[in-house]
Amino acid sequence: MAEITIIGGINIDIEGCPFGSLKAEDSNPGKISLAYGGVGRNIAENTARLGGDTAMVSVIGDDQMGRGAKAQLAELGVDVSCVTELQGRSSSMYLSILDEKHDMAMAISDMSIMDELTPAKLADCAPFLRSSGIVALDANLDEDFLTYACDLLDGVPLFFDPVSASKAARAKHLIGRFYSMKPNVMEAEVLSGLRVETEADLARVGDWFLSQGLEQLFITLNKDGVYYKSKEKEGILRPRGDLRLVSATGAGDSFSAAILLGCVRGLDIEEIARMGMAAASIAMESEQAVNSNINMKELKRRMREDV
């Protein structure tokens, strides 16, 4: 049984970028890349690379790419016994076309397979889940599923990643069921109904979240750091130096992984926030959603020197 279990999606991310100007209704010479993604999967890879005892609950299709994503997690030491391959279905995919400036011109998202990650499938994994030190859920899961998971796992520490402002509202009525949560400012506003424009606003929103029953809160502030709050401690951590930014994609997922590790290891909330910022700084140095160079030794070095 794993210390950390993540319930969420496994995506296949396909991205195309032209060598020259993007021409509509034409075949554009360019570069096509394929990567494994999905918020839940990214968090699981990060926790595994950081030495966490990790498991994942998800669904994939009976295709080579889905099997490849599952195999890659298994190679990293993630328990994938609750990742179910569904016959006759395609794995979750995200296809994006960039323009010559590397801005997204269009995209198609097919996450319909996630509808098959049902409460019944979750119930099959209940003994496994209840033995976890913490279970993570993300807002790509629908409201009914999140509600069922909170009921099924009552008494197990739960972590929630809101994913986006539009999806965050799915858990608005469940805030007190979670132990820990990591929204950004916009997501925190959606969940609380309060505006966040100043540090005083952050403190007021922090008070609101804890009044709902949440034990610990991390509000990420993009390049400005993170606000953290628990019953014992509250503060804002700012980066000490300039960040080396290659891509911000996946930085939030690495931060979530650090929170999960910090929770199961009983770290102080400020130390968890420092770990999260260090993990995010490593993630931002890679074009991929997960930096394959992330490891606990480098994380601790950055916590000492950069956070």
Side-chain angles (χ1 to χ4, degrees), residues 100-121:
E100 62 275 12
K101 297 178 182 178
H102 289 251
D103 292 327
M104 188 179 72
M106 64 185 70
I108 298 175
S109 176
D110 178 5
M111 297 184 68
S112 58
I113 194 172
M114 290 302 294
D115 294 338
E116 301 298 328
L117 186 56
T118 60
K121 282 192 170 60

Side-chain angles (χ1 to χ4, degrees), residues 184-205:
N184 61 24
V185 170
M186 289 180 64
E187 293 158 1
E189 289 179 335
V190 168
L191 287 164
S192 68
L194 301 171
R195 292 288 295 168
V196 180
E197 296 177 343
T198 66
E199 289 188 11
D201 291 337
L202 282 170
R204 183 163 57 99
V205 170

Side-chain angles (χ1 to χ4, degrees), residues 144-159:
D144 290 342
F145 185 95
L146 290 170
T147 301
Y148 180 83
C150 288
D151 291 339
L152 181 71
L153 302 176
D154 187 38
V156 178
L158 301 177
F159 168 79

